Amino acid sequence: MKKRRLATLWLDGCSGCHMSLLDTDERLLDLAAQVDMVFSPLADIKEFPEQVDVVCIEGAVSSAEDEARLHRARRHSKLLIAMGDCAVTGNIPAMRNVHGADAMLRSVYLEREPLQAQIPGTNLPPLRDKSLPLHHFVHVDLFIPGCPPAADTLFTALNGLLTGTADLRLDTRFGA
Amino acid sequence: MSDTILTLTIDGQPVSGLATETILQIARENKIDIPTLCYLEGLSAVGSCRLCMVEIEGSPKLHPACVTLIQEGMVVTTQTERLQGYRRNIVQLLFAERNHVCSVCVSNGHCELQELAHKLGVDHIAFPGCYPELEVDASHRRFVLDHNRCVLCTRCVRVCAEIEGAHTWDVKNRGMRSRIVADLDTPWGDSATCTGCGKCVHVCPTGALSEKGKSVAEMLKKRPSLPYLVANRTEERQ
Amino acid sequence: MPALPSPPPPTDDTRWQLVDRVMQRLDYQPSALIETLHAAQDAFGFLDKTTLGYIAARLHLPPAKVFGVVTFYNHFTLQPKGEHTLAVCTGTACHLKGKDRVLSWMKERYHLVPGETTADNKLSLVEVRCVGACALAPVMLTDNTPIGKKTFEEATTIIKEWLGDES
Amino acid sequence: MNREELKNLADEHSRHLEGFTHHILVCAGLGCPDNEAIIAGLRRVVAEQHLDKQVLVRKAGCMGLCALGPIVLIQPGEITYHNVHPGDAEEIVAALGKEPVPRLLLSEDLPFFTRQYKNVLALSGRIDPESIEDYIAAGGYGSLLGVLTTMRPADVIRTVQESGLRGRGGAGYPTGLKWATVAKALGEKKFIICNGDEGDPGAFMDRSILESTPHAVLEGMIIAAYAVGANRGYIYVRAEYPLAVKRLQRAIHEAERKNLLGHAICGTSFDLTLQLRLGAGAFVCGEETALIASVEGRRGSPRPRPPYPAGKGLWGCPTLINNVETYANIAPIIRCGAEWFASIGTEQSKGTKVFALTGKIHNAGLVEVPMGMPLREIIFEIGGGIPDGHTFKGVQTGGPSGGCIPEEFLDAPVSYESLSALGSIMGSGGMIVIDETSSMIDVVKYFMEFCMEESCGKCAPCRTGTVQIHRLLTRFQERQATADDLAMLEELCDLLKSASLCGLGQSAPNPVLSSLRYFRQEYLDRMIPADTPGEANS
């Protein structure tokens, strides 16, 4: 059987969801038997490839760059999974939405008596005013809430998708 | 008349109860689960969260189970796809209304809103968040009120007025600007009426009211005491 | 139950008598609250926390309940108003017939938005719910007097006069 | 006061009025600005010319044609002047008994006047609202005296039931049935309430009735209280209607002095005290359980029904709540009989209905027509059509709880049943005409904003759903909406309609739903094409 092409994408998140994915331990070997990892922060690949079967995305959309990467991932992937609370609800990154990006940057870099009072700007993608979950931009095929979702949950989800289990009952929730 | 036993069916199950009892009471007695949020045994029922809406055969409208008295021969359905859809939407609307961030909430893992979302299969919030700027009132020596997590169920208002008799809490403003308020918009710590009993904290379904200095694992809310209190008090009066 | 002691008015301002009279007429019943708040706002122009605290104590109502009622109804205000008031009706007919024109004029010229008062305390701009004079739409009330027909010109003339704006 | 005394008073006052050769009636309603100056001007001219004995200048209620106000009516002769200024006084007085002033004259053949059927408004503009004698001389309080001396409560209820009168506040519940329920309800104390919290923006029927004929409302209430056995009552009026409040206060006081209210009314054993309660700016208080909460001095939040106020209302006692116009219909029904009333209107909607005609229409004002009159006749004949060469687009009935009816259904008769079949409601009688210059989405968004601001916040669907619907409408307005947004809009409307606690939330989606039904293309035209990458939904 031809191996399925799996990608994972890391937007605005803490990488905890990726850690949880690694936490599937020896079951990674089962996964590896079924998929080729074609793009991931865990692998050194620069460009998001053209044809992807499943992409798991961690993190909220917080900058124009995140947005562009998300759209590219959607265009080139058959199934898109929102992995973890940041991708599903905005979660921690979205806590700044109450005040907006500017107020947050000023508060963090200027108003807290830092050593060098300046907002880092050069070479960094500018922040969107609001940090938002994936489904506000693209169609999401599966939501896996959790902060982070348990390794078991992630494995069940991926394994289920790859083996074509019709009814994916994931025992996870916001904040799990 | 009030001691007449009525029979009815809920989700196809034949059940019975008194004419003074509600659909919700009878359903719970018979282990039929109807989701609720504003309802709490021991407090007056206000029928405001609309999660316990059920269908009654022969009526075009939906009925809140917590305030609808049973009737002879009633045929009640509690779990249709339509009802579950409404419930999912209401839960999502509540999430979108304020800043509910489960992962960093003191009630993570024992929050009724979070649990409702889980039970109803709400795996994301379709509606965009409103992200209102809300206060956290930590002026009280022992407790915290975090408006970000409040769902306006008014259990705190009712327990304080009806059980404790202090009526420290009420709701100010209206509509989307409604907020729980102490006295004349007084910081909780300065409230002249608060007795510090903590009942409001324990009836709060979410992390809006919590005890200071308790970790997420420790911040468990003790509720079963309410019906006990009410029952004792009623007996005393009789 | 022995009657709770009732506090005296917070100050010796004679306007408290107007408030007391209403409470007395309605027998200090809890249901007198809204009528009393009307009387107090008529007397003092707005409702501050001292007033609310006094009314709560006299009617033996929990302060939170009084605050809940005051903030529920649009008519009551916790902030003092300016010398003059321009009220813009937000009814449907007024909406269709361009109530926004005078609001944008106020914003552009005086940087005033509904709910605000000018820095010199001369003028408060408020939005009011439909006053029921829809045939005159868009309706504005200058110090509670409705002006109709040539509303925009009339209103701007009056406002300029109030603010001593001669341009 | 007994029947004879009432008749004597009526005769005496009629003789007094007939002593004048000319009556000048000046509309002194809120909608006719400067009326005080006009009255003062006329009185000054009359005094200067020593005509005090021949000419009586009287303050009167609303004459309906507010768009052309201030209106002055000269009797005898039924001469109507429009757009009168205080400076016109001399000319008007000089023309008395001669050729009317052509510049100010309105033709009495105007369809505005000839096509109406005045029942509730019959005395509006014809009598001084601040004079109980004027009302009595016009036959007022005759129905009450008749009821108290010749009818049992059950007879009154039967008459109201047979008349087919339905509540004029919006829902159209049969009035007689409501009365019968309250009459049968067990309870030592019963209350009666008049709902004058006319909150629909763009409606002013109740304001006008209260300002023009306050005694007609009182008479209806006293009869109702007698019929259901209530001894205390409240009239709940919006604080935004200061003139109506003033006139009602005066009317209550005068009725008490004439023993038409208070203890042992007209020598019978029937007592009734009526008190005014001022609203304080909350549309939701039009909902009866919210109104009761407000009369009790609480936040105006509705509570689930049942129990209905007829069984458990004010302070838990059986309570009758009717709207201003409903009460104003009672005295005429008693006077002219149930059959007369039932002969007007359609099968299920009897009698006449007062409408506030506003928006993009020539003759903005107050009109009363028999139920069943086609909308087209009301708008184009009585209302005079759309001004400034614009074209008709739709008419919103029922305000923020109603819907917008397009041109193709203009031949529908106005009645509870036909308007509801068209996806709108009768409502309290607001009729707002919209022309092609207004976008339906703008109008609908206006109403949704209104509901969002007026939501009491108690139940979750209304409090949170109106905010989300309003946001979605903004996306349509800004041409940012997607097909998903349209689906979400329809889903939320269904949720609010089905799951909200009270009428405000349940009917808040109506303007959206009716515009989706009749003006769907306007929504589709504002959507971004499906293959464009979506903008952030925020």
Side-chain angles (χ1 to χ4, degrees):
Chain A
M1 197 180 84
K2 205 183 142 204
K3 278 190 174 182
R4 308 285 280 279
R5 293 163 64 81
L6 174 71
T8 74
L9 187 60
W10 181 18
L11 303 179
D12 192 4
C14 70
S15 86
C17 298
H18 274 88
M19 294 300 121
S20 201
L21 187 62
L22 291 178
D23 231 9
T24 45
D25 299 335
E26 72 278 7
R27 283 170 294 181
L28 280 173
L29 299 173
D30 299 343
L31 277 181
Q34 300 179 62
V35 299
D36 277 331
M37 189 69 120
V38 294
F39 184 84
S40 172
L42 308 170
D44 188 18
I45 302 161
K46 298 286 180 245
E47 274 286 297
F48 196 91
E50 294 274 315
Q51 283 172 351
V52 171
D53 291 303
V54 180
V55 60
C56 296
I57 305 183
E58 172 189 343
V61 180
S62 296
S63 64
E65 194 202 13
D66 288 344
E67 202 181 328
R69 293 172 74 200
L70 172 63
H71 281 299
R72 180 173 169 91
R74 175 73 273 184
R75 267 199 307 280
H76 299 306
S77 311
K78 285 186 191 142
L79 288 176
L80 187 150
I81 301 175
M83 176 169 70
D85 277 354
C86 296
V88 173
T89 69
N91 201 25
I92 310 285
M95 283 171 72
R96 72 154 194 257
N97 292 0
V98 172
H99 307 286
D102 272 354
M104 178 196 66
L105 288 172
R106 263 187 284 110
S107 170
V108 171
Y109 289 101
L110 303 181
E111 291 156 13
R112 308 276 152 155
E113 298 177 56
L115 296 173
Q116 263 187 306
Q118 64 169 33
I119 293 175
T122 39
N123 303 327
L124 286 176
L127 292 182
R128 294 173 44 85
D129 194 48
K130 283 197 172 93
S131 182
L132 298 170
L134 309 187
H135 65 275
H136 287 211
F137 301 87
V138 298
H139 174 74
V140 172
D141 299 294
L142 179 67
F143 294 91
I144 310 179
C147 185
D152 277 353
T153 306
L154 290 176
F155 179 79
T156 312
L158 277 176
N159 196 46
L161 284 177
L162 294 169
T163 54
T165 309
D167 190 14
L168 267 180
R169 283 181 188 244
L170 299 176
D171 188 26
T172 183
R173 54 169 166 74
F174 305 129
Chain B
M1 194 184 121
S2 59
D3 53 2
T4 321
I5 304 281
L6 306 177
T7 56
L8 63 155
T9 64
I10 304 182
D11 292 344
Q13 188 179 333
V15 293
S16 63
L18 299 172
T20 50
E21 293 182 292
T22 62
I23 296 174
L24 184 66
Q25 280 172 313
I26 301 305
R28 294 213 164 150
E29 259 174 46
N30 291 281
K31 307 268 181 287
I32 297 166
D33 184 41
I34 301 175
T36 56
L37 190 58
C38 64
Y39 177 82
L40 190 65
E41 196 183 347
L43 300 180
S44 62
V46 289
S48 67
C49 74
R50 317 307 281 172
L51 287 168
C52 70
M53 301 296 273
V54 296
E55 292 174 14
I56 297 175
E57 206 177 271
S59 165
K61 287 203 257 175
L62 305 179
H63 301 264
C66 67
V67 291
T68 306
L69 298 177
I70 58 165
Q71 279 174 17
E72 180 61 36
M74 226 179 203
V75 178
V76 181
T77 319
T78 72
Q79 304 290 330
T80 62
E81 190 37 51
R82 177 176 177 224
L83 291 171
Q84 293 295 80
Y86 289 152
R87 289 168 187 157
R88 276 194 292 271
N89 274 334
I90 291 170
V91 166
Q92 291 183 63
L93 284 167
L94 288 173
F95 266 101
E97 185 185 22
R98 298 213 175 173
N99 308 305
H100 295 278
V101 189
C102 298
S103 57
V104 293
C105 178
V106 67
S107 284
N108 189 10
H110 33 256
C111 164
E112 292 183 36
L113 182 67
Q114 185 185 36
E115 186 51 31
L116 274 169
H118 182 43
K119 263 205 296 202
L120 291 166
V122 172
D123 58 6
H124 72 292
I125 314 300
F127 312 112
C130 298
Y131 306 114
E133 199 172 337
L134 296 167
E135 279 175 30
V136 178
D137 181 351
S139 61
H140 194 279
R141 194 169 51 85
R142 291 166 50 211
F143 310 119
V144 183
L145 164 60
D146 182 354
H147 290 286
N148 289 289
R149 312 283 193 253
C150 175
V151 290
L152 291 168
C153 68
T154 69
R155 285 183 189 178
C156 54
V157 176
R158 285 174 283 151
V159 80
C160 187
E162 295 168 13
I163 309 287
E164 180 63 7
H167 205 132
T168 298
W169 299 118
D170 210 303
V171 179
K172 73 167 175 180
N173 304 334
R174 67 178 188 217
M176 59 181 164
R177 282 184 278 273
S178 303
R179 305 279 182 269
I180 296 297
V181 65
D183 293 355
L184 296 175
D185 212 5
T186 315
W188 192 359
D190 300 340
S191 163
T193 58
C194 176
T195 62
C197 73
K199 288 191 182 70
C200 52
V201 175
H202 286 281
V203 298
C204 176
T206 69
L209 290 166
S210 62
E211 278 182 54
K212 279 186 177 171
K214 288 217 167 157
S215 68
V216 174
E218 290 167 323
M219 192 52 249
L220 293 173
K221 298 191 172 179
K222 305 179 205 82
R223 267 165 221 145
S225 59
L226 267 194
Y228 174 75
L229 275 181
V230 175
N232 275 352
R233 198 175 290 188
T234 325
E235 270 166 35
E236 215 171 88
R237 277 194 196 144
Q238 280 165 352
Chain C
M1 197 173 75
L4 293 166
S6 291
T11 62
D12 51 14
D13 191 324
T14 50
R15 286 176 292 181
W16 288 110
Q17 291 170 10
L18 300 168
V19 181
D20 283 345
R21 205 172 297 155
V22 171
M23 290 194 279
Q24 194 185 12
R25 176 165 60 80
L26 298 172
D27 209 18
Y28 299 98
Q29 291 297 307
S31 60
L33 177 58
I34 293 175
E35 291 289 300
T36 310
L37 292 170
H38 274 297
Q41 184 160 304
D42 288 348
F44 297 102
F46 70 109
L47 300 162
D48 64 8
K49 289 193 181 175
T50 312
T51 309
L52 298 181
Y54 172 65
I55 293 173
R58 281 311 303 255
L59 298 177
H60 302 310
L61 286 168
K65 195 169 176 178
V66 173
F67 200 80
V69 168
V70 170
T71 53
F72 184 88
Y73 296 98
N74 275 358
H75 182 76
F76 298 127
T77 167
L78 300 168
Q79 251 74 51
K81 286 221 182 96
E83 240 173 87
H84 296 286
T85 306
L86 175 76
V88 179
C89 177
T90 57
T92 317
C94 298
H95 175 77
L96 287 177
K97 291 200 165 179
K99 72 167 165 61
D100 291 341
R101 195 170 157 214
V102 83
L103 290 178
S104 1
W105 183 82
M106 292 294 289
K107 194 171 175 190
E108 211 169 281
R109 197 174 175 97
Y110 303 114
H111 308 291
L112 207 58
V113 296
E116 288 185 353
T117 302
T118 51
D120 59 4
N121 209 29
K122 281 242 168 72
L123 169 70
S124 292
L125 177 64
V126 294
E127 282 183 331
V128 288
R129 301 168 356 114
C130 180
V131 297
C134 313
L136 304 178
V139 177
M140 271 162 245
L141 297 104
T142 48
D143 289 338
N144 291 326
T145 311
I147 48 175
K149 302 285 165 79
K150 285 179 253 150
T151 320
F152 184 75
E153 287 73 18
E154 265 188 68
T156 52
T157 315
I158 295 171
I159 291 159
K160 284 184 186 168
E161 213 169 275
W162 282 347
L163 296 176
D165 176 353
E166 280 158 19
S167 58
Chain D
M1 176 168 302
N2 58 32
R3 282 182 111 163
E4 200 177 330
E5 285 165 353
L6 187 79
K7 189 172 178 305
N8 289 343
L9 183 66
D11 291 346
E12 191 186 321
H13 192 64
S14 299
R15 274 197 301 280
H16 163 71
L17 293 177
E18 281 157 15
F20 296 92
T21 49
H22 294 282
H23 290 219
I24 306 179
L25 293 134
V26 182
C27 172
L30 179 81
C32 281
D34 283 345
N35 59 62
E36 280 175 23
I38 295 169
I39 293 172
L42 285 164
R43 287 198 175 139
R44 187 175 41 77
V45 174
V46 168
E48 279 168 6
Q49 303 186 7
H50 306 292
L51 293 169
D52 317 51
K53 297 275 181 303
Q54 294 92 44
V55 179
L56 181 63
V57 179
R58 293 161 74 198
K59 189 186 269 189
C62 177
M63 307 190 194
L65 197 45
C66 311
L68 299 180
I71 304 277
V72 170
L73 176 70
I74 313 289
Q75 295 281 38
E78 199 71 20
I79 294 159
T80 309
Y81 291 136
H82 67 100
N83 286 316
V84 177
H85 285 275
D88 298 328
E90 276 186 43
E91 243 180 304
I92 290 174
V93 175
L96 289 174
K98 305 187 191 102
E99 273 299 296
V101 186
R103 180 170 60 84
L104 302 172
L105 188 65
L106 261 182
S107 159
E108 54 182 307
D109 308 328
L110 276 183
F112 184 86
F113 296 117
T114 58
R115 297 290 177 88
Q116 290 196 52
Y117 187 131
K118 297 214 174 181
N119 164 32
V120 166
L121 299 182
L123 293 179
S124 186
R126 310 264 149 178
I127 60 169
D128 180 348
E130 296 180 13
S131 158
I132 193 171
E133 288 83 5
D134 261 26
Y135 182 65
I136 290 173
Y141 288 111
S143 297
L144 174 65
L145 266 290
V147 162
L148 291 180
T149 51
T150 64
M151 292 170 89
R152 293 169 305 163
D155 301 330
V156 180
I157 293 174
R158 194 173 330 108
T159 305
V160 175
Q161 274 178 323
E162 284 168 5
S163 74
L165 175 65
R166 294 170 65 176
R168 298 300 195 232
Y173 191 79
T175 305
L177 183 57
K178 209 177 204 179
W179 289 24
T181 314
V182 179
K184 274 187 197 147
L186 300 172
E188 272 179 42
K189 261 197 219 163
K190 289 182 188 175
F191 292 97
I192 174 170
I193 295 180
C194 173
N195 183 349
D197 190 57
E198 183 173 53
D200 169 0
F204 52 95
M205 300 73 52
D206 295 348
R207 171 185 68 72
S208 189
I209 293 169
L210 290 171
E211 282 178 3
S212 306
T213 52
H215 285 289
V217 180
L218 292 189
E219 188 177 3
M221 280 187 83
I222 304 168
I223 293 171
Y226 172 76
V228 303
N231 299 111
R232 268 174 73 188
Y234 294 92
I235 308 178
Y236 189 90
V237 189
R238 303 177 68 200
E240 288 91 342
Y241 290 172
L243 189 60
V245 169
K246 192 184 118 194
R247 289 185 179 161
L248 262 176
Q249 248 154 1
R250 190 187 164 98
I252 292 175
H253 185 64
E254 285 195 314
E256 280 169 351
R257 282 181 39 186
K258 294 256 182 297
N259 186 224
L260 294 160
L261 260 180
H263 181 61
I265 292 174
C266 302
T268 64
S269 60
F270 172 55
D271 302 337
L272 176 67
T273 50
L274 286 182
Q275 285 187 38
L276 266 182
R277 280 291 180 274
L278 249 57
F283 174 64
V284 69
C285 288
E287 200 277 346
E288 51 186 25
T289 61
L291 190 149
I292 286 173
S294 190
V295 172
E296 291 176 357
R298 299 186 284 120
R299 288 167 64 85
S301 295
R303 61 155 174 81
R305 298 178 305 175
Y308 291 93
K312 278 192 171 162
L314 201 56
W315 292 297
C317 302
T319 304
L320 175 72
I321 305 186
N322 280 138
N323 143 284
V324 169
E325 191 184 333
T326 313
Y327 284 126
N329 268 296
I330 300 302
I333 288 174
I334 300 290
R335 187 168 56 245
C336 308
E339 275 175 34
W340 160 78
F341 190 83
S343 72
I344 311 165
T346 69
E347 184 56 36
Q348 288 172 60
S349 304
K350 303 294 188 193
T352 58
K353 177 78 193 86
V354 182
F355 289 101
L357 205 51
T358 62
K360 305 294 180 69
I361 187 145
H362 255 291
N363 301 336
L366 209 63
V367 302
E368 183 172 9
V369 298
M371 293 272 195
M373 182 182 272
L375 283 164
R376 191 183 298 281
E377 193 175 337
I378 300 176
I379 292 163
F380 284 93
E381 300 195 24
I382 295 177
I386 320 297
D388 308 326
H390 290 296
T391 53
F392 175 88
K393 180 167 182 176
V395 56
Q396 178 88 15
T397 66
S401 312
C404 195
I405 297 164
E407 163 84 39
E408 56 190 300
F409 296 105
L410 272 189
D411 293 311
V414 281
S415 65
Y416 293 101
E417 54 279 14
S418 75
L419 290 178
S420 113
L422 289 173
S424 185
I425 59 166
M426 172 81 81
S428 58
M431 220 178 240
I432 293 147
V433 179
I434 294 159
D435 68 15
E436 88 288 357
T437 60
S438 296
S439 130
M440 267 332 285
I441 292 177
D442 176 64
V443 173
V444 166
K445 192 184 149 201
Y446 165 82
F447 285 124
M448 192 48 64
E449 187 171 340
F450 180 84
C451 291
M452 177 173 87
E453 294 292 331
E454 296 296 336
S455 165
C456 79
K458 179 173 176 174
C459 85
C462 173
R463 181 183 76 239
T464 58
T466 50
V467 175
Q468 293 287 351
I469 295 178
H470 183 262
R471 183 194 56 82
L472 285 165
L473 291 170
T474 308
R475 284 173 66 81
F476 279 97
Q477 201 178 32
E478 293 170 352
R479 297 176 184 274
Q480 291 295 326
T482 62
D484 285 350
D485 288 329
L486 186 59
M488 193 187 274
L489 183 66
E490 293 187 304
E491 201 174 322
L492 280 172
C493 286
D494 176 40
L495 173 74
L496 261 68
K497 212 176 161 69
S498 310
S500 296
L501 194 157
C502 82
L504 189 155
Q506 288 160 11
S507 63
N510 285 354
V512 184
L513 291 170
S514 105
S515 63
L516 280 168
R517 179 166 163 187
Y518 297 123
F519 302 94
R520 198 176 187 87
Q521 196 57 41
E522 289 194 33
Y523 286 85
L524 301 179
D525 290 346
R526 281 169 177 75
M527 279 161 49
I528 45 177
D531 52 351
T532 324
E535 287 272 321
N537 194 343
S538 60

